[in-house]
Amino acid sequence: DQQVKQNSPSLSVQEGRISILNCDYTNSMFDYFLWYKKYPAEGPTFLISISSIKDKNEDGRFTVFLNKSAKHLSLHIVPSQPGDSAVYFCAASVRGGSARQLTFGSGTQLIVLP
Amino acid sequence: DSGVTQTPKHLITATGQRVTLRCSPRSGDLSVYWYQQSLDQGLQFLIHYYNGEERAKGNILERFSAQQFPDLHSELNLSSLELGDSALYFCASSQGQSYGYTFGSGTRLTVV
């Protein structure tokens, strides 16, 4: 049972344009959401996060939007740069408990074309 | 360099064998998490240790076990290996039990 889904395995965007990566979740108990970026031969690196009490969080060129009613979040990258080419993972966590294990989606490969 | 060190980077072994993957967390981090990434899959949470104690278990097989030592490094032991255990195994660390994970670069295990 995939609780976090990234339905687009890959996305190609022209340099300078907007990249929009999507993520859907099924567990209504999730209350914190994160995006990680992963380059080949490296571990994932944290990019941006959002709490369920917000619907938008912005950090430079990166903005995450959360639509709780639709159980959907998206990552916008504007403008896209070739260095943004990587696999992007959406992740979610449930409040409470003693651990902060994350449930990850399967990732979207972003290719930014020069 | 993220500060989280995983060894070895690559491991090839035969079915039925046992291997040990090692993780050294960032200096000062007390929590260690293990994740498995199989082909075309997201990262699956395996287990979490905090300051030497097991705090949570995820989808970890009984053939797998882990521990965190007094110096805070952690080892993931995989036994009776099967072809399906071939995957990338990531370790991550954080200071407390926070969301601020730092991942290592992973160990790629290939079972032949």
Side-chain angles (χ1 to χ4, degrees):
Chain A
D1 174 30
Q2 259 193 306
Q3 297 187 62
V4 177
K5 298 179 185 179
Q6 294 178 257
N7 293 318
S8 298
S10 66
L11 173 69
S12 291
V13 172
Q14 207 68 36
E15 180 180 4
R17 305 295 290 268
I18 184 172
S19 295
I20 300 177
L21 295 95
N22 294 302
C23 178
D24 297 296
Y25 62 95
T26 58
N27 188 344
S28 57
M29 298 297 289
F30 286 145
D31 69 331
Y32 198 79
F33 303 88
L34 308 91
W35 285 93
Y36 280 81
K37 179 168 75 171
K38 184 182 180 304
Y39 293 117
E42 295 182 12
T45 55
F46 170 73
L47 193 57
I48 192 169
S49 63
I50 187 167
S51 164
S52 61
I53 61 173
K54 295 185 175 182
D55 54 18
K56 176 183 175 181
N57 189 26
E58 193 172 351
D59 183 2
R61 296 185 297 113
F62 303 92
T63 303
V64 57
F65 295 91
L66 175 62
N67 182 334
K68 289 186 290 293
S69 60
K71 294 191 177 66
H72 177 83
L73 64 155
S74 60
L75 175 68
H76 293 209
I77 307 174
V78 184
S80 301
Q81 300 173 354
D84 296 330
S85 296
V87 177
Y88 288 78
F89 290 99
C90 168
S93 182
V94 176
R95 183 192 303 276
S98 61
R100 292 291 184 260
Q101 63 261 37
L102 301 177
T103 302
F104 282 84
S106 55
T108 296
Q109 171 80 59
L110 174 65
I111 301 167
V112 181
L113 304 166
Chain B
D1 181 8
S2 68
V4 178
T5 303
Q6 289 188 248
T7 57
K9 291 193 183 304
H10 301 277
L11 196 50
I12 301 175
T13 190
T15 54
Q17 296 298 304
R18 171 189 168 96
V19 297
T20 297
L21 312 184
R22 182 188 169 101
C23 170
S24 294
R26 280 189 324 171
S27 177
D29 285 358
L30 299 178
S31 274
V32 169
Y33 304 80
W34 286 96
Y35 282 81
Q36 178 194 54
Q37 185 186 15
S38 301
L39 191 64
D40 295 333
Q41 297 288 316
L43 287 81
Q44 302 289 324
F45 170 71
L46 295 179
I47 199 163
H48 168 216
Y49 277 86
Y50 175 77
N51 202 21
E53 292 186 7
E54 180 187 304
R55 286 302 176 96
K57 270 187 174 180
N59 298 321
I60 186 166
L61 300 172
E62 286 192 11
R63 300 183 286 108
F64 296 0
S65 64
Q67 58 186 133
Q68 187 180 27
F69 294 86
D71 67 352
L72 301 177
H73 91 271
S74 178
E75 293 181 355
L76 180 66
N77 301 296
L78 315 176
S79 61
S80 303
L81 285 168
E82 302 175 358
L83 295 177
D85 297 328
S86 296
L88 267 169
Y89 291 85
F90 287 103
C91 165
S93 73
S94 66
Q95 277 198 331
Q97 300 176 82
S98 69
Y99 299 107
Y101 284 15
T102 300
F103 279 88
S105 56
T107 293
R108 179 172 293 282
L109 173 66
T110 303
V111 182
V112 297

